[in-house]
Structures are given as structure tokens and as C-alpha cells.
Amino acid sequence: MPSVALAITDGMLHLELSLACEVFGADLTHIADPWYRFSLCGPGAVRLGRFRLEPDHGLDHLALADTVIVPGWADTDQDPPAELVDAVRAAHDAGARVASLCTGAFVLAAAGLLDGKRATTHWAHTRELARRHPKVTVDPDVLYVDNGSVLTSAGKAAAMDLCLHLVRLDHGSSIANKIARRLVVPPHRDGGQAQFIATPVPEPGNHPLADLFPWVMGRLNEPLTVEDLARQAQMSSRHLGRHFKQVTGTTPLQWLHTQRIRYAQELLETTDDTVDTIATATGMGTATTLRRHFARTVGVPPDTYRRTFRSQPRFHR
């Protein structure tokens, strides 16, 4: 059973900590069994505004976890506690995957884990992170950054994007999507990253495209055009584009493309279908076309993606 340890000290932010507890600390064995073995690790009783937390273990227990999560650090004008920084560094040295949520990136940077790496944090603090840690390449425009064993997220809700990304890495897209539906959040959000963020299917709602999305999702194998979508939505292509921008934040073609890629990911994970068969099922036409677009969007070829996500879990300690 993979283990996740949440590092807690006085002065951390509530929301990011709560999101991590909800994703990794809830009993979700009815969705994926085994789920995570979750623990809170801190120097003692911790005060977070109006809340008081009793950790399960001391900070030294972080070094025994498979994944360590550092929530947001409230006062970025102050250096994070040395004992927290040392414990996070020791955990990474011991082989743990370390992820920061929001301004938790300041803790990772203080530990030297971000030196020479790309990272992000809440947009309001990116300049300060770059100023105090010039060896870090700070990217203010993304939801999260995945450097393999070290990951950072932007602020607030982006913490959920990173938590779901970790679930997706460990359990696959299908499980991450089920967790997202349980939490009533999109499994992916388009944040301009080259990793695994894709434009989501918006939740059903009272908007002009509410009936169009399920219609499209049932026809991803067909060569749909913007005109086809506009005709089904009973509006002009121009109005369709305007509504798509409002609802999804992107264009009809880009949204359709990312839905095809996401469906291809799920088929690669859950079936033994050939790349040719998947190309047909996702409307990509040929294996060559699928491979080109898949590698450009996801960052790896379909075959590599399948080997990664159909393999044994990464946890073996």
C-alpha cells in the first residue's frame, strides 16, 4: 500500500491541507484498493488559524513515506522552520516523491530541491520565490510542474489539480476521473502544460452547450468538424466559438482534440487494443496521426505511455 505523509507545522494554509487530506486521507478503497496509507507528520500539536491538529508522527517520519506533501506556507516573508526544511530534504534523499501545494514551494526551495528545476507557486508569490531562490526557474503561468520526484503547484484550487495528477500517475486516468467526479471537480484543467492536463468535459449545467458535450463524447470516432458541432448546437460557428470560450476556455477544435487524446489515454490504459484500433476509435484516422498528436500533447509516444500506466505500481519500498 503506497504511503502519503502530509507535513504540517504552525502557519500553514487551511485549504491546501484540507484538499490533500480529502484526496489521500479519505477511505476510497471502494474506488481503488489498496488506496493510500495516510499520515500527518509534525513537530507536535499544530495551530492553523482557528484549527488545531494533532499529528500522527513526528517530522522524522516523512523519510519513511513514498510521497511527501507540503501544504501552503502562510507567511512567505518568513523563512520556513529549519526542522521542516531538514525533514523534507531528508525525505527526498531517502527516495520520497515530494510535492508542494501553493506556497509550499518556498519550503522545497529552501531545502534545495528546486535548484536547477522549473517550479511554480501562487501567482502572487512567483516573483518573490524567484528573487529569494535565483537557482529556481519559476513559471507563473502553469497549474503545476512535474519534475518526477519533485512537484509544485500553483495556488489554491491548483493544489487539487496536482493531487489528482499524483493519483493519475499512481492509479491511472480512470481512477483519477472517478475521484474527481466524487469531489465534483474536473479531472483535468487546461493550464498550458505539456504534461497530462487536458481540457475537461464541463459538468452538466444551464449553459447553451450542455446537450452538445455528451453528443460529441459519443461520437469521438467520427470526423467531426466545427460546422458539425454548430449544426448540432443549432447556432452559427461564430456563436459556437464564443460559447466554447466562455464554458471551456478554449476553441471547439482544441477541445475536441484534447478529448480524443484523453480517450486514447484511457484506451491505452484499460485495453489491449492496437494503436491502429485506438486511432480509429478516437477519430484520429491512422496510427501515424495518433502517434504524432499524442506525443506532441502528452510528451511521450502511445506505446511508452501504455508501458508506464499498465506497469506495476511505482511503490516498492
Side-chain angles (χ1 to χ4, degrees), residues 22-38:
E22 185 64 28
V23 172
F24 302 105
D27 181 4
L28 301 178
T29 51
H30 61 289
I31 296 177
D33 192 6
W35 193 236
Y36 297 95
R37 186 171 67 255
F38 181 75

Side-chain angles (χ1 to χ4, degrees), residues 111-195:
L113 303 187
L114 301 181
D115 288 354
K117 294 183 174 65
R118 179 168 159 262
T120 194
T121 188
H122 192 291
W123 62 266
H125 301 284
T126 51
R127 289 186 179 181
E128 180 64 13
L129 181 63
R131 185 189 69 79
R132 289 169 58 179
H133 300 281
K135 293 182 180 180
V136 181
T137 301
V138 181
D139 189 339
D141 299 323
V142 295
L143 293 177
Y144 61 82
V145 176
D146 182 349
N147 289 300
S149 64
V150 179
L151 305 91
T152 55
S153 86
K156 303 300 179 184
M160 179 61 77
D161 293 291
L162 180 52
C163 288
L164 289 175
H165 176 66
L166 292 173
V167 172
R168 194 156 53 245
L169 291 175
D170 298 340
H171 295 281
S173 296
S174 178
I175 296 300
N177 290 347
K178 290 179 181 178
I179 302 302
R181 284 193 293 272
R182 175 182 178 273
L183 297 173
V184 198
V185 296
H188 306 264
R189 287 198 296 160
D190 188 356
Q193 297 190 91
Q195 292 118 331

Side-chain angles (χ1 to χ4, degrees), residues 6 13 16 23 78 87 92 154 181 203 217 238 241 244 311:
L6 189 61
L13 300 173
E16 292 82 348
V23 172
Q78 300 291 325
H92 184 261
R181 284 193 293 272
E203 292 293 324
M217 296 303 292
R238 177 176 296 182
F244 251 88
S311 61

